[in-house]
Amino acid sequence: MTPHSPSEERHLVTTPAALKTPTDLERNAIRSVADALNALLADSYALYLKTKNFHWHVSGPHFRDYHLLLDDQATQILGTTDAIAERVRKTGGTTLRSIGHIARLQRIEDNDSEFVSARDMLAELHRDNLKLVEALREAKEAADAAGDNATSGIVDEWTDLAEERAWFLFEASRGS
Ligand SMILES: [Fe+2]
């Protein structure tokens, strides 16, 4: 058997028989929805922790505004994660199991820098939220192709939230 390359491996979803939720959706199509949702979930956790990281480490004259804005955004991101994972389970797939699993699937990069200026934090989170919008679009396309209407509908809500976060970050990062 040919070994899978890392990029193939990260998209493979295997579902043990005991965890196969019955669904009328077609198996291959649902696997690609599950892959898209699991990658989206990993990105969401990565973005959640980065937003909290910046909430904890932001500094400067706008400290209070940014500290509170980032906390609101982190709470909002975390609030979507359970629903993302449960869409995967409802449609017969399996989802994330560990921080290591997140690290293997995430496409939003961590930022472990010792110091990031407030302006750079906002700009980076703005870009990351737009990346999340792309991931959501990918999930929506997979859901539509699979006839998975419920995922397609709920993805619209998550997209609206990500666009709202990007808007706030953009406006807050503009020079006055
Ligand atoms: Fe806090």
Side-chain angles (χ1 to χ4, degrees):
M1 204 173 93
T2 324
H4 296 289
S5 70
S7 64
E8 282 172 318
E9 216 157 63
R10 67 206 296 250
H11 291 295
L12 288 179
V13 173
T14 51
T15 307
L19 291 178
K20 278 191 176 139
T21 312
T23 174
D24 67 331
L25 296 169
E26 202 261 315
R27 187 60 54 188
N28 282 340
I30 217 57
R31 175 176 293 183
S32 75
V33 178
D35 286 344
L37 288 176
N38 284 333
L40 173 69
L41 184 57
D43 283 340
S44 299
Y45 279 118
L47 183 58
Y48 164 72
L49 194 57
K50 189 190 282 187
T51 305
K52 271 291 193 186
N53 163 16
F54 289 173
H55 160 75
W56 294 321
H57 295 107
V58 71
S59 62
H62 302 289
F63 171 80
R64 184 179 162 78
D65 278 354
Y66 296 165
H67 180 70
L68 296 177
L69 172 68
L70 298 181
D71 206 25
D72 285 350
Q73 294 205 347
T75 302
Q76 189 181 76
I77 296 162
L78 189 64
T80 64
T81 53
D82 189 55
I84 298 171
E86 290 188 357
R87 276 311 303 159
V88 181
R89 293 295 296 127
K90 285 172 191 172
T91 51
T94 56
T95 190
L96 302 186
R97 300 182 191 280
S98 64
I99 297 291
H101 200 167
I102 292 168
R104 289 194 296 280
L105 295 186
Q106 75 184 77
R107 295 155 305 180
I108 287 180
E109 288 174 20
D110 295 338
N111 185 336
D112 290 311
S113 304
E114 249 175 65
F115 179 79
V116 183
S117 71
R119 180 168 289 223
D120 286 350
M121 285 180 176
L122 298 182
E124 184 169 334
L125 290 176
H126 176 246
R127 287 194 299 275
D128 288 341
N129 275 281
L130 292 181
K131 262 189 226 167
L132 200 74
V133 169
E134 278 174 39
L136 285 155
R137 201 163 289 136
E138 188 184 290
K140 171 109 182 157
E141 280 166 15
D144 286 344
D148 179 352
N149 295 340
T151 296
S152 181
I154 199 167
V155 161
D156 292 342
E157 292 170 32
W158 300 331
T159 304
D160 183 57
L161 293 175
E163 287 173 340
E164 183 179 273
R165 289 192 300 272
W167 173 38
F168 273 58
L169 289 160
F170 173 71
E171 285 299 337
S173 69
R174 290 220 280 191
S176 49

